[in-house]
Amino acid sequence: MFHLMLGLPVLVILVIVISILLFGLFALIASLVGGASTAALVKNKLSRRLLLTGFAILSLTGLLPLLPFIMAYISVPFNYVTAAVMVMLISVAVLAVVGIRFSRAIKNKLGKTALTILFCIILIFAIFLTVLAPIIGNFLLSL
């Protein structure tokens, strides 16, 4: 039983890290495939803009959990990871504002309301996480 006590925490951490990496990887793949098919198949200019904005947000969301692993692989100091995360979250917030502006041009009232609420939720989360990123980064640096 002692060997389980030694190996089990390592396996649990490994499963958590692998699941984070797989989420980021599949979000990036989905955004690239979706963005390419949107650019090729959708003819309506407004719909194409909204879809590409959504896929850009999805690609940044997929890159966000991969960023610490990438920066650790290329041996960048942890201070830069916090700055890079903040830049990515600010980019998500800007894309959410762009999505809100694009969704205002939709003729359908229900679609306009739903997309505006969706992009507002993304904007609120991006601003909240942008404010929280330096706090979490400083806490992790102090450990």
Side-chain angles (χ1 to χ4, degrees):
M1 285 305 219
F2 184 70
H3 65 282
L4 286 178
M5 295 297 290
L6 291 177
L8 196 57
V10 174
L11 290 176
V12 168
I13 290 173
L14 213 77
V15 166
I16 291 170
V17 167
I18 288 173
S19 65
I20 290 171
L21 288 173
L22 285 177
F23 166 74
L25 186 67
F26 283 121
L28 277 176
I29 291 171
S31 67
L32 291 175
V33 170
S37 64
T38 297
L41 298 176
V42 176
K43 302 297 182 207
N44 188 357
K45 199 174 203 177
L46 178 64
S47 299
R48 187 177 338 144
R49 286 181 182 167
L50 279 168
L51 283 169
L52 288 176
T53 303
F55 285 126
I57 290 173
L58 181 63
S59 68
L60 287 173
T61 305
L63 191 60
L64 200 57
L66 295 177
L67 190 67
F69 297 106
I70 294 170
M71 294 241 179
Y73 182 72
I74 59 176
S75 68
V76 174
F78 192 73
N79 296 341
Y80 297 139
V81 175
T82 305
V85 166
M86 288 182 60
V87 166
M88 288 177 56
L89 288 171
I90 289 170
S91 300
V92 168
V94 168
L95 284 171
V97 170
V98 168
I100 291 170
R101 295 283 297 163
F102 285 156
S103 65
R104 291 290 179 191
I106 294 178
K107 302 279 191 263
N108 187 355
K109 187 176 179 180
L110 180 64
K112 181 191 303 187
T113 306
L115 280 176
T116 303
I117 289 172
L118 177 71
F119 283 119
C120 283
I121 290 171
I122 292 170
L123 179 64
I124 290 168
F125 278 133
I127 291 172
F128 178 71
L129 290 175
T130 303
V131 170
L132 223 64
I135 297 169
I136 294 171
N138 290 334
F139 173 72
L140 291 176
L141 282 176
S142 69
L143 291 178

